[in-house]
């Protein structure tokens, strides 16, 4: 076991840290949030140039075939800077679904993901769903001669209005499960209604009205789709989790600096013991979140589905809980300025809330863990 | 010791309920229950005047100035019923903060000039206490009001001035004696349309401005706008705060939040059944219900001047700590009940005018907006940490 | 609504406070714990002399017919002094069961409860039961010509080895519910196995082997027994709760005094902000417990069973939770001495644990509350 | 970055498991799993010797003095397996605290004299650091050792000296130079049967003494019992603590507690089904399981010297805060799982020899005893509050 970063990982982390430091100030992020996309196309091009979008993609698609750990190291640094581009949705979640498919169409799109030309996002949640992990999927896929027609309404499609393609879950009458389909966002019969999210990014409701797609659009058959999707979601949960850990580290830094700078009753805030102790508690929780992240990274490729599920759900729950405490207290220690839009700590909080509510919240994941028996030690 | 509500109080509650049923409209109720910050200003002014016609606008004022003469218990009943029924929450600054101060310390002219529009809701007030860099430390107040003939010339900067952007009047703490470090602070009434006043909205974490910076640049204020004698603001401020010993518990909002959470949880589903039947969710909800109910009894104890084992001056701080902690938890639970729908941004205007559909039911707008705003409740009005300092000092002499 | 104590209540509280101050030092309590009874017969006689055992009893039995509120005021003061005599078990819980019965035998015993001659305790819990509120009761009552025979094993019978009488729950074949029987502790066929509890009091397992009792021993028929028992338990929960609130107040006092006396790094502990803040949090929780107590007191005689149940269970849960925090932190702030047997704060903690585990723990009562719908405000 | 256990380590784990299966007896396992404080002394000494025969007694010692040469990971595996299998927990004071110090700083004579009995478990050690009134403040140490010819004359009083009552030897901090305020502190080895030593048990909250007061009254100690040069105890203490950076996490005990809680919850019932299937209980249990698992990764990071965003000197304190918090919660949950049965007092002796019956199953004794004892874990070895001071200072320079 070795936690040290390889030289390659160090370069990756340093490059991202430098980018965040030099280019990801809050003002430009607020500008991006106000734009039609809810993110910055300039950043997006940079991500492509740096190879970040290609990081975990297969070589055949121009990818670097790096690991989930590498991606998590990158995203942790980006999380410090509240980076909000569709890196994980497109180049991790959907890229995994595409890579795992044998389809020719998929391979072509993967290359476009690597260059940033394609933005692919998951259209999976429907009315009333609380978690991607147990969405029942009512959207319908009907077989026609040369392919399929898709109908239904997807909601909370992240980056849905900016996406070039969707991976859509839909159910063929009579099949047990749902299939996963690749659909161009400009296909006939698709209507999107975009809206802003609290963190400044955007999502959309996407209506599919008898959208025709070729047979090759079927990425995953019902027999395997749910398993592949789970594995894609697991990757998203872990890598977004790394971003939250980055957020937490940034808040520790922001807050301790703030406390040293500001005075009350003629003394620096940092000299008040109650505030010192709060910072210590925040560090304890941040370390817990990081450890939960490592636990999930260690299990992400495990063949033991129970172990993997437990580690992923456990990390999701603990990172969200710890993040809520650390960033919430970060706001508290800043006082009034902490609850304004002009200051970064509130934005970290909103990014955390987005993490908390995506993929199922902590209650959901604790319950999911609880259904998996913990490994029992053997009695002698 | 008698821990029951009297039959008269119960009859009063029925009277209030009947009045609310007759006078509120579904549109107003929808907007109130949406819990955005700040609430709809027209609704509040309208409701102020409706209540005034009934004689119920100003429970905080003495009877001779238009008050209701209710017991604290009865006032508590009234406020709870208004909140739960979805009545607009009247603005506090006039009715509950400066109104009573004017009645107690103001001149006869001030009473005549300011109290009637407060009762009718036609003039709304901003409270200009906080200043940049001053935190909770009043001794470092910097704004000045220098007497020049029959006018004060006011200069300075205020921050966190709630709703200053659409208030006709303001009451400000200013230093009328610049030679003294701790004294010399006065309370003065300023027309917010005076030349020299600039108001800048502060965008809050929830994306809407509900508080403001106020810049005072050589603002001329008539001498008679000072309340009481110069340098007596400390006494007036103490009086003002003592009137609001229980409001920081936010108990009525807490009951409103519980109502809202249950309404959401009856509609949302988990594991194929309504969320409200999910054991884990119920457990969290019940815990909060119980803590809110206990907090209500803490409020009742303060309202009734119950004998206490600890100096009663600590009780406002005790209520605030628990009240703001519950606000954090209640508003979090409400967003949890919504699932990913909680992530959609509804600005204040969007929330009031939201398109309601099966995908986006009417209970979604406002929930996250409120949760984000309520992160401020453990900061404003003396932070949680300041309250703990106060309790340790007052209750334990530590 | 009026929270002020009446003159009578003030006298009661002052008398108890004086007794605690003058006679209930820790050393004598430790001695009592080491005795065969696990409590002090001297205190017990004093309780009788003061009329405390007769407080809520009916006049006909020599009682003072005072209220549950009065009793709670008394027990709060006694809780400050860690008083551990069977006051509540005998003179509240069982006295209520006896008072509510029409039986002649019951009336006679009530008079003995008032004088302290009789110590009556509830023999209700059986193997594996976690709460008196939902004990299924397997013990059997069989009708014989002139009465009943009782068989079964009861466990965690508080003060079981010192009791003169038991109120025993037992089930007649074919009946839906169980009946409640009054049984002399020295009846043939009863075997008791006593043991110490963590707070120094004692309990017993009580085995009933075809114990014959007369027909008049049946205090409550199966049709009404469960309802009356619930009402007796409610009284016990509230009044013991008052004792815990007293404990919490005592710990606040002990701890703040300790912090003012002791020094670390040349400064009194009371000058450290983190410890000040902890004291403040402890007060906030103590106030919550007291309010929950009042809420329960206000509902104890309500005809609305739902309201009563909710308030009682709510108080049980909150008082135990708050008590755990306050007394647990009381130990923490004392440091090493707090975890020794020689110091009072640990004894308060153990008394709290006893409260926590009796009658069902916080999880049980939160769940019980949750099954009762909260009052919904009317829509206009 | 490689987050997997190597195949070799997994094979090692199997080897340990096999060894434990062969060498432990059900009686010993029962007593270990009963988790009383202090554990059974005979079992510990016996197990010490069993492990020594295998060469596994002293993973903390350098190989040349009988250590195992295991990697930190392997040592962690070994300790976890021992704990879960119910092996007696060996006493730390000799094997893990003073043993390594003697190997590092001791004379050749000291090594020869003291290390073999430590390996075999025939001599047990007490740690005499704390003094009354000193709290966590070493600078105020008062015990003295004054050189008189070839002897030190030791006077003073120690408190919280764990297991002093049945230890053959002790290592004590004493002041050999009484003129210096901060320096002059030395570590000295004292035979606990020396004339002038009085040991008084301190009865703990759980009803059993596991810690002692030690009175030193003109105790004569051979000069050669001093470790290293006079006045160098600070360096030795730092070394001693650095060897135990992760032990305060109590991670092995936490896993043992989880095992025990699950075992109880499979047998106890709620609402007609095993407690372990109750949603509320499962939720609490799962939350703790996850936090323990995360803490294990925190331990692994420290053991492997993982790169850290924060000064690594803070990590022992981070582990201790979380570890003791989890101990409070785990032992509370265990008692909750027992219901009213948790109230029965089992002293240490009663717990070892408890009559097991359907009414009082074998999993009852020790649970509450342990819960009560563990209230001390956030106090001993530097209280939770001291740890927070340390973290703020080291990690944030505050």
């Amino acid at each position: 076991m070795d936690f040290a970063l390889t030289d390659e990982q160090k370069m990756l982390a340093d490059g991202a840290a430098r980018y965040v430091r030099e280019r990801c100030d809050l003002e430009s992020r607020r500008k991006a949030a106000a734009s039609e996309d809810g993110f910055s196309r300039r950043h997006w091009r940079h991500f492509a140039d740096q190879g970040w979008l290609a990081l975990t993609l297969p070589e055949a698609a121009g990818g670097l075939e790096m690991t989930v750990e590498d991606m998590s190291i990158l995203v942790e640094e980006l999380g410090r800077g509240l980076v909000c581009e569709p890196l994980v949705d497109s180049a991790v979640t959907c890229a995994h679904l595409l890579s795992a498919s044998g389809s020719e169409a998929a391979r072509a799109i993967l290359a476009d993901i690597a260059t940033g030309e394609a933005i692919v996002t998951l259209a999976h949640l429907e009315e009333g769903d609380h978690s991607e992990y147990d969405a029942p999927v009512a959207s319908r896929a009907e077989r026609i001669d040369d392919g399929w027609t898709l109908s239904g309404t997807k909601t909370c499609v992240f980056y849905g209005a900016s996406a070039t393609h969707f991976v859509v879950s839909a159910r063929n009458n009579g099949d047990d499960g749902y299939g996963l389909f690749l659909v161009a966002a400009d296909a006939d019969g698709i209507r999107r209604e975009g809206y802003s999210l609290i963190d400044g990014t955007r999502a959309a409701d996407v209506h599919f009205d008898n959208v025709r797609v070729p047979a090759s659009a079927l990425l995953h058959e019902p027999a395997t789709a749910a398993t592949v999707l789970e594995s894609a979601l697991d990757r998203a949960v872990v890598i977004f989790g790394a971003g939250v850990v980055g957020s937490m580290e940034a808040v520790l830094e922001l807050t301790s600096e703030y406390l040293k700078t500001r005075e009350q009753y003629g003394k620096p805030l940092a000299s008040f013991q109650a505030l010192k102790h709060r910072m210590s508690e925040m560090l304890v929780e941040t370390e817990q979140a990081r450890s939960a992240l490592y636990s999930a990274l260690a299990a992400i490729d495990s063949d033991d589905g129970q172990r993997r599920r437990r580690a992923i759900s456990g990390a999701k729950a603990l990172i969200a809980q710890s993040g809520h405490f650390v960033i919430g207290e970060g706001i508290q220690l800043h006082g009034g300025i902490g609850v304004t839009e002009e200051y970064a700590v509130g934005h970290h909080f909103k990014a955390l809330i987005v993490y908390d509510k995506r993929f199922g919240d902590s209650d959901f994941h604790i319950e999911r863990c609880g259904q998996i028996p913990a490994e029992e030690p053997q009695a002698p | 010791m008698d821990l029951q509500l009297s039959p008269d109080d119960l009859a009063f509650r029925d009277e209030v309920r009947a009045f609310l049923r007759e006078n509120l409209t579904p549109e107003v109720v929808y907007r109130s229950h949406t819990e955005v910050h700040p609430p709809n200003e027209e609704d509040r002014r309208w409701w102020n005047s409706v209540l005034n016609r009934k004689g119920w606008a100003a429970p905080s004022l003495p009877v001779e100035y238009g008050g209701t003469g209710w017991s604290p218990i009865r006032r508590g009943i009234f406020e709870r019923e208004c909140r739960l029924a979805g009545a607009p929450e009247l603005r506090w600054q006039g009715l509950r903060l400066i109104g009573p101060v004017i009645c107690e310390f103001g001149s006869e002219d001030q009473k005549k000039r300011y109290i009637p529009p407060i009762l009718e809701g036609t003039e709304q007030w901003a409270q200009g206490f906080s200043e940049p860099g001053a935190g909770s430390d009043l001794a470092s107040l910097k704004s000045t009001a220098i007497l020049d003939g029959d006018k004060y010339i006011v200069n300075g900067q205020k921050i966190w001035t709630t709703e200053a952007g659409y208030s006709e009047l303001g009451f400000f703490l200013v230093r009328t004696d610049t030679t003294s470090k701790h004294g010399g602070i006065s309370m003065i009434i300023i027309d917010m349309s005076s030349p020299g006043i600039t108001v800048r909205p502060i965008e809050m974490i929830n994306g809407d401005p509900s508080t403001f910076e106020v810049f005072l640049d050589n603002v001329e204020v008539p001498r008679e706008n000072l309340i009481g004698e110069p340098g007596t603001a400390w006494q007036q401020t103490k009086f003002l705060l003592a009137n609001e010993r229980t409001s920081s518990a936010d108990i009525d909002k807490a009951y409103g939040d519980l109502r809202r959470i249950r309404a959401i949880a009856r509609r949302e589903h988990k594991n194929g059944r309504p969320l409200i039947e999910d054991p884990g969710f119920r457990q969290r909800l019940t815990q909060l219900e119980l803590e809110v109910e206990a907090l209500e009894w803490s409020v009742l104890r303060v309202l009734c001047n119950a004998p206490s084992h600890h100096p009663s001056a600590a009780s406002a701080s005790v209520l605030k700590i628990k009240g703001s902690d519950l606000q954090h938890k209640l508003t979090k639970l409400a967003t949890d009940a919504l699932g990913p729908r909680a992530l959609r941004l509804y600005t204040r205007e969007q929330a009031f005018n939201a398109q309601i559909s099966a995908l986006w039911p009417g209970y979604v707008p406002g929930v996250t907006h409120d949760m984000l705003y309520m992160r401020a409740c453990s900061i404003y009005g003396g932070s949680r940490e300041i309250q703990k300092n106060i309790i340790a000092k007052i209750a334990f002499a530590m």
Side-chain angles (χ1 to χ4, degrees), chain A, chain B:
Chain A
M1 200 169 280
D2 184 6
F3 293 86
L5 302 194
T6 62
D7 289 345
E8 219 170 10
Q9 289 171 331
K10 263 185 220 149
M11 274 175 51
L12 187 63
D14 291 348
R18 195 176 335 107
Y19 189 73
V20 160
R21 211 164 44 238
E22 292 170 4
R23 310 265 211 101
C24 298
D25 58 302
L26 192 56
E27 204 35 59
S28 73
R29 187 178 192 280
R30 285 156 58 88
K31 220 174 279 168
S35 75
E36 209 179 323
D37 287 317
F39 64 87
S40 151
R41 291 279 174 180
R42 200 166 56 87
H43 283 334
W44 190 241
R45 273 191 304 277
H46 181 85
F47 288 10
D49 294 348
Q50 293 294 308
W52 294 346
L53 301 178
L55 214 61
T56 59
L57 267 47
E59 215 181 328
L64 303 170
E65 297 208 334
M66 288 171 77
T67 64
V68 173
E69 283 155 23
D70 300 324
M71 186 55 113
S72 109
I73 289 165
L74 170 67
V75 170
E76 180 182 330
E77 293 302 331
L78 299 180
R80 295 177 76 101
L82 287 162
V83 163
C84 59
E85 283 63 35
L87 170 68
V88 180
D89 294 85
S90 184
V92 176
T93 320
C94 288
H96 182 80
L97 292 171
L98 292 164
S99 301
S101 162
S103 131
E104 183 60 42
R107 229 165 306 155
I109 302 290
L110 275 173
D112 291 347
I113 287 179
T115 63
E117 264 172 88
I119 294 175
V120 191
T121 186
L122 185 65
H124 178 47
L125 289 176
E126 300 178 6
E127 182 191 327
D129 292 348
H130 279 214
S131 168
E132 284 84 344
Y133 278 95
D134 77 342
V137 180
S139 293
R140 281 165 299 107
E142 276 170 39
R143 249 177 244 274
I144 50 173
D145 285 353
D146 53 347
W148 305 81
T149 65
L150 306 179
S151 294
T153 295
K154 298 290 182 179
T155 188
C156 293
V157 179
F158 292 87
Y159 306 98
S162 304
T164 58
H165 299 77
F166 299 114
V167 175
V168 184
S169 56
R171 188 180 282 282
N172 191 0
N173 260 344
D175 278 351
D176 258 3
Y178 51 79
L180 290 168
F181 299 85
L182 176 65
V183 188
D186 57 4
D188 283 347
I190 289 184
R191 188 164 55 83
R192 321 190 226 184
E193 296 176 272
Y195 39 83
S196 291
L197 301 181
I198 56 166
D199 67 341
T201 64
R202 293 177 62 80
D205 294 342
V206 184
H207 306 273
F208 295 84
D209 183 12
N210 278 307
V211 177
R212 281 170 168 266
V213 295
S216 65
L218 180 63
L219 297 174
H220 297 285
E221 300 273 359
T224 57
T227 309
V228 179
L229 180 61
E230 184 181 327
S231 150
L233 294 173
D234 287 352
R235 283 166 160 66
V237 161
V238 174
I239 292 170
F240 275 123
V244 173
V245 171
S247 237
M248 292 163 79
E249 295 284 2
V251 168
L252 289 180
E253 207 173 296
L254 270 174
T255 310
S256 63
E257 276 167 22
Y258 180 82
L259 294 178
K260 287 177 197 173
T261 326
R262 298 282 297 203
E263 299 206 339
Q264 195 157 43
Y265 308 112
K267 291 197 300 183
L269 287 174
S271 68
F272 290 91
Q273 194 192 27
L275 309 188
K276 292 184 198 189
H277 279 201
R278 195 78 48 77
M279 286 301 302
S280 301
E281 292 157 15
M282 288 160 67
L283 178 61
V284 169
E285 289 299 309
T286 303
E287 292 290 8
Q288 171 169 288
R290 181 177 298 284
S291 286
L293 173 65
Y294 288 160
S295 158
L297 283 171
I300 189 93
D301 287 321
S302 170
D303 297 330
D304 177 348
Q306 302 272 63
R307 179 188 165 210
R308 200 182 65 238
R309 206 161 288 141
R310 212 182 142 81
I312 302 294
S313 277
K316 176 69 167 72
L318 290 194
I319 292 172
Q321 289 172 348
S322 297
H324 197 267
F325 173 78
V326 170
I327 306 178
E329 290 303 315
I331 290 179
Q332 180 72 24
L333 295 184
H334 276 84
I337 197 179
V339 286
T340 66
E341 188 75 18
E342 296 160 35
Y343 199 77
V345 67
H347 293 270
H348 283 288
F349 190 72
K350 289 188 278 192
L352 177 271
I353 298 294
V354 173
Y355 183 65
D356 186 32
K357 296 290 179 290
R358 285 192 75 173
F359 311 112
D361 65 11
S362 298
D363 288 350
F364 174 86
H365 283 284
I366 297 270
E367 190 179 323
R368 188 168 180 255
C369 277
Q371 284 155 359
I372 303 160
E375 217 184 306
E376 275 304 331
Q378 297 162 300
Chain B
M1 194 182 257
D2 174 9
L3 304 180
Q4 311 301 323
L5 280 184
S6 72
D8 281 3
D9 286 339
L10 292 171
F12 170 74
R13 186 172 69 184
D14 291 338
E15 187 191 350
V16 173
R17 283 183 180 171
F19 174 81
L20 293 166
R21 256 196 310 276
E22 274 161 36
N23 287 278
L24 288 169
T25 71
E27 294 73 28
V28 166
V29 169
Y30 176 79
R31 284 190 292 266
S32 300
H33 280 167
T34 302
E35 282 292 353
V36 296
H37 306 273
N40 185 292
E41 183 67 14
E42 291 70 41
D43 288 351
R44 308 169 96 176
R45 292 186 182 225
W46 165 74
W47 185 242
N48 208 146
S49 71
V50 171
L51 286 179
N52 195 32
R53 275 199 297 281
K54 176 78 176 174
W56 285 0
S60 303
L61 293 185
V63 182
E64 60 271 36
Y65 298 108
T68 55
W70 291 332
S71 69
I73 290 285
R74 205 162 272 204
R75 192 177 147 189
I77 291 172
F78 175 73
E79 280 160 10
R80 171 73 42 78
E81 293 300 324
C82 285
R83 185 71 171 225
L84 290 178
E89 203 196 346
L90 300 190
R91 281 184 50 190
W92 291 18
Q93 296 90 336
L95 286 162
R96 295 170 62 161
L97 300 181
I98 193 65
V101 168
I102 290 173
C103 292
E104 180 76 15
F105 300 98
S107 66
E108 284 313 307
D109 282 352
Q110 286 172 340
K111 292 174 195 170
K112 263 190 226 130
R113 162 67 189 84
Y114 296 113
I115 298 301
I118 285 178
L119 289 171
E120 183 64 14
T122 47
E123 281 182 352
Q124 297 292 338
W125 291 72
Q127 176 190 3
F129 280 20
S130 298
E131 299 190 355
S136 307
D137 185 6
L138 262 192
S140 59
L141 194 88
K142 287 198 180 64
S143 295
T144 54
I146 306 301
L147 194 59
D148 178 16
D150 57 351
K151 296 190 199 92
Y152 281 102
I153 308 299
V154 181
N155 279 287
Q157 185 183 347
K158 296 289 177 178
I159 195 169
W160 314 124
T161 311
T162 306
E163 316 196 71
Y166 36 90
S167 296
E168 283 80 8
L169 296 162
F171 55 103
F172 288 78
L173 290 183
V174 289
R175 207 173 270 283
T176 43
D177 174 0
T178 53
T179 59
S180 149
K181 168 84 187 151
H182 289 285
I185 299 179
S186 305
M187 204 183 285
I188 196 166
I189 296 167
I190 306 184
D191 183 331
M192 293 298 284
S193 65
S194 309
I197 292 190
T198 316
V199 172
R200 190 183 84 84
I202 301 173
E203 205 176 336
M204 299 294 281
I205 186 174
N206 61 1
D208 273 297
S210 54
T211 186
F212 296 81
E213 284 181 284
V214 178
F215 301 88
L216 301 144
D217 184 14
N218 285 317
V219 180
E220 299 188 359
V221 181
R223 183 174 187 164
E224 63 266 26
N225 280 22
L226 205 80
I227 301 175
E229 292 300 307
T232 60
W234 182 237
Q235 190 189 353
Q236 296 156 10
T237 304
K238 241 175 83 174
F239 173 84
L240 177 153
L241 293 174
N243 283 330
E244 293 295 329
R245 284 180 304 159
T246 63
S247 58
S248 65
D250 239 349
I251 188 74
D252 300 315
K253 177 167 189 304
Y255 273 105
D257 290 341
L258 287 172
R259 185 199 56 75
R260 170 146 88 162
I261 294 166
R262 288 190 296 258
I264 297 170
R266 275 192 286 268
R267 298 275 301 277
E268 296 288 318
H269 283 71
K270 181 169 175 185
N271 296 331
R273 59 183 167 185
L275 184 57
I276 200 157
E277 293 170 20
D278 176 73
F281 188 85
R282 276 211 84 87
Q283 192 274 331
R284 284 177 68 193
L285 174 60
T286 306
Q287 178 79 39
L288 292 180
E289 285 173 345
L290 293 174
E291 292 188 27
V292 170
E293 286 160 22
L295 184 62
E296 171 163 38
W297 280 93
S298 296
V299 168
L300 287 169
R301 286 163 57 204
V302 175
L303 289 180
C304 296
N305 287 312
S308 171
H309 287 66
H310 307 279
S312 64
S315 52
S317 297
V318 170
L319 294 180
K320 183 158 199 304
I321 288 175
K322 201 69 183 179
S324 58
D325 176 51
L326 282 171
Q327 276 305 310
H328 286 182
K329 288 178 178 156
L330 287 163
T331 57
K332 170 80 159 63
L333 185 60
T335 60
D336 286 351
L338 289 182
R341 280 169 169 153
L343 299 182
R344 182 164 174 175
L345 175 73
Y346 285 93
T347 62
R348 182 172 175 271
E349 283 311 312
Q350 285 168 342
F352 287 146
N353 304 301
Q355 292 274 335
I356 291 170
S357 67
L359 273 179
W360 298 101
Y363 53 75
V364 177
V367 172
T368 307
H369 178 103
D370 182 44
M371 182 277 282
L372 291 170
Y373 182 78
M374 279 298 151
R375 294 309 298 192
C377 76
S378 51
I379 296 169
Y380 57 55
S383 72
R384 188 211 291 154
E385 288 70 26
I386 297 285
Q387 305 299 340
K388 289 185 191 171
N389 287 346
I390 292 173
I391 294 172
K393 191 164 177 179
I394 295 180
F396 302 111
M398 280 173 72

